[in-house]
Amino acid sequence: PIFVIILFSFNDTDTGFGTAPRVKTTWSGFTTVWYERLFDIPDLTAALEHSLFIAFASSLVAAALGALLGLALARYRYRGKGTTNLVIFLGISSPEIVLGAALASFFVSLSLPRGLGTLFVSHVMFSIPFTTVIVRARAANLDRSLEDAAMDLGAGPIVTFFKVTLPLIFPGILAGWLLAFALSLDDFVISQFVQGPSTMFPTWVFGATKVGIPPHVFVFATLIFVGGILLAATQLIVARRRPA
């Protein structure tokens, strides 16, 4: 539970090795020393930086592509629309271990070195279906008469899109971005297949379980949780202030 993680980020762990004490399963007292020594483990800090960078970059691209794809699926009829819906469904329903193995084989067949580049492509790929579904649901309920009115008043298609359509679907885009960011930051299975030497935060934590998880992990997890709450609250405020 998240409250246990928050609690143990303040645990006065006094046994361990070097700058990365092992976590004890008993409460030893309250301390804030681990927040002061947050960056004492370079490998852990680098892994978190990789995760944050990939999550932010891939979620932006996934939100942009998902917005365009979701809008197209909600508004237009075209040849291959059924196939597109099937591919999106498969992207959401396929087990992560299958996607990870397939992506790893794909990169190996192309002789691409695994690293941040393969992580970025992989995270964009598995995030797009989720952002697409969210934006499509938002776009399907929009009143087309608002766009027609804008064009009747002299606005062209591009101006109408940026002045009318985009603001109306923005809450869906923001929600899709938040979901993609969370999925990327939390992903372990696919990252394990395609990360190469660029270790991600979840895979680092998994590896640390073999020797003992340092309390710094609980501090990072607490900060990520608090940051997620703030982002979700921001998205909720923005959604309520915009017209339905």
Side-chain angles (χ1 to χ4, degrees), residues 22 35 38 52 135 141 146 181 211 222:
R22 296 176 185 270
Y35 287 85
L38 188 58
L52 290 174
V135 175
N141 296 321
L146 297 175
F181 184 88
V211 295
T222 299

Side-chain angles (χ1 to χ4, degrees), residues 60-71:
L60 283 180
V61 176
L65 296 177
L68 297 175
L69 186 56
L71 191 61

Side-chain angles (χ1 to χ4, degrees), residues 69-102:
L69 186 56
L71 191 61
L73 289 172
R75 291 291 185 86
Y76 305 106
R77 294 182 178 180
Y78 56 90
R79 182 176 299 176
K81 184 176 181 178
T83 303
T84 305
N85 281 316
L86 177 61
V87 171
I88 292 173
F89 172 76
L90 291 176
I92 295 175
S93 61
S94 297
E96 286 193 358
I97 192 170
V98 174
L99 293 175

Side-chain angles (χ1 to χ4, degrees), residues 37-55:
R37 298 171 56 183
L38 188 58
F39 303 106
D40 279 0
I41 308 177
D43 291 345
L44 175 59
T45 303
L48 182 62
E49 289 175 351
H50 293 159
S51 289
L52 290 174
F53 171 75
I54 293 298

Side-chain angles (χ1 to χ4, degrees), residues 15-228:
T15 60
F17 49 97
T19 59
R22 296 176 185 270
V23 167
K24 295 192 300 183
T25 57
T26 57
W27 180 255
S28 302
F30 181 86
T31 182
T32 59
V33 66
W34 308 123
Y35 287 85
E36 300 169 6
R37 298 171 56 183
L38 188 58
F39 303 106
D40 279 0
I41 308 177
D43 291 345
L44 175 59
T45 303
L48 182 62
E49 289 175 351
H50 293 159
S51 289
L52 290 174
F53 171 75
I54 293 298
F56 184 76
S58 65
S59 61
L60 283 180
V61 176
L65 296 177
L68 297 175
L69 186 56
L71 191 61
L73 289 172
R75 291 291 185 86
Y76 305 106
R77 294 182 178 180
Y78 56 90
R79 182 176 299 176
K81 184 176 181 178
T83 303
T84 305
N85 281 316
L86 177 61
V87 171
I88 292 173
F89 172 76
L90 291 176
I92 295 175
S93 61
S94 297
E96 286 193 358
I97 192 170
V98 174
L99 293 175
L103 286 167
S105 300
F106 176 71
F107 294 136
V108 169
S109 66
L110 295 179
S111 300
L112 293 176
R114 290 181 295 171
L116 291 179
T118 54
L119 280 166
F120 172 75
V121 172
S122 300
H123 284 227
V124 169
M125 185 279 302
F126 74 70
S127 297
I128 285 178
F130 295 94
T131 58
T132 299
V133 169
I134 294 174
V135 175
R136 180 176 62 181
R138 177 72 181 181
N141 296 321
L142 295 184
D143 187 359
R144 296 290 297 269
S145 63
L146 297 175
E147 296 168 304
D148 294 337
M151 299 186 72
D152 288 341
L153 293 173
I158 296 178
V159 174
T160 300
F161 175 79
F162 283 103
K163 294 292 185 179
V164 179
T165 308
L166 184 59
L168 291 174
I169 65 173
F170 181 75
I173 297 175
L174 181 59
W177 177 78
L178 289 172
L179 178 59
F181 184 88
L183 289 172
S184 176
L185 194 62
D186 183 62
D187 179 73
F188 167 76
V189 177
I190 295 177
S191 297
Q192 182 76 359
F193 277 97
V194 302
Q195 69 180 2
S198 302
T199 306
M200 301 287 278
F201 182 70
T203 57
W204 192 97
V205 173
F206 176 77
T209 58
K210 301 175 183 178
V211 295
I213 302 176
H216 305 69
V217 171
F218 294 100
V219 177
F220 279 129
T222 299
L223 295 177
I224 291 172
F225 174 74
V226 172

